[in-house]
Amino acid sequence: MDDHEPASTSSGTSSGSTARRRTGGRSARIRSQVVEAVGALLVEVGYDGLSVDAVAERAGVHRTTVYRRWRDVGGLLADVLAAASDDTWSPQDTGSLEGDLTALNQEVYEALAAGPTVTTALIAASFRSAEAAGALSRFWADRYERCTPVVTRAAARGELAPGTDARALLVTATAPLYQELLLLRAAPDPRLPERAARAAAAAARAGTFATP
């Protein structure tokens, strides 16, 4: 990706070797600096205090580069979420459905209960930016897809019936954390991850998420 081109043009390079060069070096360094700056500013000042100029100053990048490459705040937020999807994260394999769901919930809990974080700031910003909302939906879809092995492993062990709806089960397991910590703003409860996982696992074993 060229350092002075919008991200949307990165697929329009003339050769594979050029495309590969553009994935690293100065371009990657600038993106890393900008993504880090967006996250820090979101936590500090929220969506209303976020601007391309503020991000450029915080990242130590020329404002023209940021404007050309990300265009606006929506583009910046979308790329922060896209960068988060570039990792190699996968759910833990604890050897049981309830254990896997508890481990997954524990990660969610730690991200939500630690006070203002990039995670909670991005969720809040998604209600103010259509571009961020779309990127966040893609991020959740990616994360739930990566968690599918939790359900397929359980089925292979005989804990669940084959054909169990993985997404429905995973959403049921994680939803109480978002409900309690983000919507209800309840005090953090360290028992919540395991309790929600246990309830979802019991429902799954009873066939609640069986597909026709």
Side-chain angles (χ1 to χ4, degrees):
M1 187 186 297
D2 190 293
D3 293 334
H4 301 290
E5 290 181 351
S8 60
T9 68
S10 62
S11 62
T13 55
S14 59
S15 70
S17 61
T18 302
R20 284 193 294 274
R21 285 199 301 273
R22 290 179 177 180
T23 61
R26 182 170 180 267
S27 179
R29 186 175 68 254
I30 288 175
R31 186 191 187 202
S32 178
Q33 291 170 202
V34 168
V35 164
E36 183 176 349
V38 173
L41 286 169
L42 261 182
V43 173
E44 292 174 13
V45 301
Y47 179 85
D48 288 327
L50 195 64
S51 70
V52 172
D53 286 356
V55 169
E57 181 178 359
R58 182 65 169 260
V61 176
H62 197 283
R63 62 193 295 272
T64 301
T65 298
V66 180
Y67 273 109
R68 287 179 177 173
R69 188 163 170 176
W70 285 276
R71 301 182 306 280
D72 53 25
V73 168
L76 287 165
L77 293 171
D79 200 36
V80 170
L81 287 158
S85 296
D86 289 341
D87 64 10
T88 58
W89 179 88
S90 61
Q92 296 182 46
D93 184 355
T94 67
S96 72
L97 174 63
E98 188 171 320
D100 285 359
L101 292 176
T102 298
L104 175 62
N105 276 358
Q106 189 63 42
E107 292 189 44
V108 175
Y109 177 85
E110 291 172 3
L112 298 180
T117 64
V118 175
T119 299
T120 56
L122 283 168
I123 292 172
S126 71
F127 289 95
R128 307 285 297 280
S129 163
E131 196 166 358
L136 186 60
S137 293
R138 292 189 294 274
F139 174 81
W140 292 137
D142 172 72
R143 278 299 191 260
Y144 279 120
E145 180 64 28
R146 294 196 205 187
C147 290
T148 299
V150 168
V151 179
T152 55
R153 289 194 299 253
R157 289 190 297 261
E159 292 184 80
L160 297 175
T164 296
D165 187 331
R167 183 183 174 92
L169 168 53
L170 292 164
V171 169
T172 299
T174 56
L177 281 76
Y178 295 100
Q179 177 74 20
E180 292 285 338
L181 298 173
L182 286 186
L183 300 181
L184 298 180
R185 299 182 182 275
D189 180 357
R191 300 167 298 178
L192 179 59
E194 182 179 3
R195 188 169 67 242
R198 187 167 59 248
R205 287 192 294 268
T208 301
F209 307 108
T211 55

